[in-house]
Each structure stands twice: as C-alpha cells, then as structure tokens.
C-alpha cells in the first residue's frame, strides 16, 4: 500500500509536488485548505503567500498575499502531525509555517541586499545561490556539505521554534533548512520540486524520496 501524502498548497499550485510524490512511490492527496481530520500518512506544506503576522504576535510590516483560512488549516495540520507523530516536509512557505507553529518568528521582508539574492527577478524568474549544509542531517546526507538551490522568497525564518535547528544557510546566515531534534520534521526554504538535476545541478527528487522512505517506516507501508 502506498503512503498517502497530503499536500497543502495554494489554489494555483498543482502538478510538480504531486509528480514528485508519485515518483517517490506515494499517493498524493492535493488540496487548498484540506480537512485537517482527513486520513493521511505524511504532510507536505507547499509554497505560497505569506502568513498572517498575528500568528507570531507581530503587526504587518511587509507581509502580503495572506490567506488566513490556509494559515489556520496548516497550523492545525502541524499540531495534529506533532501529536500523532506523522512526518512533515515543509517547502518555502511551509518552512516558515512549521517554524511559526512551533513558536518561532520570521523576517517579514528581507533587506534589499538579501532580496537581490533570494527574491524572484523583476521578470518573475527564480534566482539561484549556493548554501552550506550541516553534516549528519537530511540535506547533508543527501547532498554533502554544499549545494546550489533556487530562490523565490522575500521572507525568512528568524527565531527558531521549539525543537527545531538549522541545517543549511546562505553566505549571509539566512536559514535555508531545518529539522526537528526528535520529531520527523524537515523543512527547506527552496523548491526541490523544481530542481531536476539537469546540467549537473542538484536533484530535488532526493528530498521527496527521503521523505517517502520516512513515511513508510513510520506508517508501516
């Protein structure tokens, strides 16, 4: 039986996440604002707009494209996964959602020098930049001590939530990945579903393969 992977996504985001889950041997269940009580074996929190800053006790000083119903659903999903020991993979927005759910905070808008590295180009294209990886972590085991990633974000994690620790950083110290010290939770700021491994670049499918392997171990599939 294939692990059932719930993908919580924006309304317009569909295709690449589902394909990566299927390639890794899972059954994707893909929704915008899914029912937090539905049956699934693992959770992927996909990319999208910014979270409501009130969820981390701040005023809005740079957040936009806020989807409050999605915020509420995804925070409930993280809470359920923590309580039931279900694996979580957070991607871009999901990297920040997990952090906020566990009591962390974010930079609502990076300074212009960092935006020139991390935000999309004026033409709407992703940028790329190198990151360094910590050894004996999910990313370190898969890719070594450094890799080049895509980038399309204007926010970043600041204070880390309870139990989380950084596992990858850019040259300026922006946290590019995290995992939990005791729970099956892994997050990345970049978009592995868009990283094909072409032209010698890193293959993001490895992250989905790893995640599905963990789901199989935990759910017994």
């Amino acid at each position: 039986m294939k692990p059932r992977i719930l993908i919580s996504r924006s309304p317009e985001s569909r295709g690449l996440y589902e394909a990566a889950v299927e390639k890794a041997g899972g059954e994707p269940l893909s929704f915008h604002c899914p029912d937090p009580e539905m049956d699934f074996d693992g959770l992927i929190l996909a990319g999208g707009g910014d979270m409501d800053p009130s969820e981390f006790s701040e005023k809005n000083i740079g957040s936009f494209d806020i989807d409050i119903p999605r915020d509420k659903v995804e925070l409930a999903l993280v809470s359920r996964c923590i309580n039931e020991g279900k694996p979580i993979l957070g991607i871009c927005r999901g990297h920040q959602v997990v952090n906020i759910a566990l009591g962390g905070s974010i930079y609502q808008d990076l300074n212009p020098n960092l935006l020139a590295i991390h935000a999309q180009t004026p033409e709407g294209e992703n940028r790329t930049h190198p990151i360094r990886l910590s050894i004996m972590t999910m990313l370190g085991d898969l890719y070594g001590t450094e890799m080049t990633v895509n980038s399309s974000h204007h926010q970043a994690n600041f204070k880390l939530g309870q139990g989380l620790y950084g596992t990858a950083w850019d040259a300026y110290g922006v946290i590019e990945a995290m995992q939990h010290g005791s729970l099956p939770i892994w997050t990345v700021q970049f978009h592995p579903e868009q990283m094909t491994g072409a032209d010698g670049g890193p293959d993001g499918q490895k992250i989905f393969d790893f995640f599905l392997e963990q789901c199989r171990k935990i759910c017994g599939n």
Side-chain angles (χ1 to χ4, degrees), residues 141-182:
D141 289 347
L142 294 178
Y143 299 102
T145 58
E146 61 181 35
M147 65 187 297
T148 298
V149 298
N150 52 23
S151 195
S152 60
H153 61 101
H154 78 106
Q155 299 187 328
N157 286 339
F158 174 41
K159 174 189 172 184
L160 296 191
Q162 185 175 7
L164 296 168
Y165 61 95
T167 62
W169 304 263
D170 79 347
Y172 297 92
V174 173
I175 299 170
E176 290 281 338
M178 306 181 303
Q179 61 189 63
H180 196 279
S182 59

Side-chain angles (χ1 to χ4, degrees), residues 13 36-37 62 74 118-119 144 157 164 185 187 192 214:
S13 174
E37 298 304 317
E74 292 188 345
H118 292 277
N157 286 339
L164 296 168
I185 299 174
T187 73
Q214 305 311 308

Side-chain angles (χ1 to χ4, degrees), residues 80-91:
R80 178 184 169 193
C81 286
I82 289 172
N83 289 335
E84 298 180 9
K86 294 181 183 290
I88 301 173
L89 174 62
I91 296 173

Side-chain angles (χ1 to χ4, degrees), residues 64-189:
F64 57 89
D65 289 339
I66 294 170
D67 184 342
I68 291 178
R70 184 181 178 188
D71 292 348
K72 300 298 185 184
V73 163
E74 292 188 345
L75 290 172
L77 284 166
V78 172
S79 178
R80 178 184 169 193
C81 286
I82 289 172
N83 289 335
E84 298 180 9
K86 294 181 183 290
I88 301 173
L89 174 62
I91 296 173
C92 199
R93 167 191 158 95
H95 170 70
Q96 298 163 13
V97 171
V98 168
N99 190 45
I100 291 167
L102 288 168
S105 64
I106 66 172
Y107 296 103
Q108 289 191 50
D109 203 24
L110 295 170
N111 70 50
N113 290 335
L114 291 175
L115 289 175
I117 299 169
H118 292 277
Q120 287 187 335
T121 68
E123 296 74 30
E125 298 294 327
N126 290 350
R127 301 181 193 269
T128 60
H129 63 85
I131 61 174
R132 59 184 175 89
L133 314 178
S134 180
I135 62 172
M136 298 180 69
T137 63
M138 181 266 284
L139 286 184
D141 289 347
L142 294 178
Y143 299 102
T145 58
E146 61 181 35
M147 65 187 297
T148 298
V149 298
N150 52 23
S151 195
S152 60
H153 61 101
H154 78 106
Q155 299 187 328
N157 286 339
F158 174 41
K159 174 189 172 184
L160 296 191
Q162 185 175 7
L164 296 168
Y165 61 95
T167 62
W169 304 263
D170 79 347
Y172 297 92
V174 173
I175 299 170
E176 290 281 338
M178 306 181 303
Q179 61 189 63
H180 196 279
S182 59
L183 298 171
I185 299 174
W186 303 270
T187 73
V188 296
Q189 182 63 73

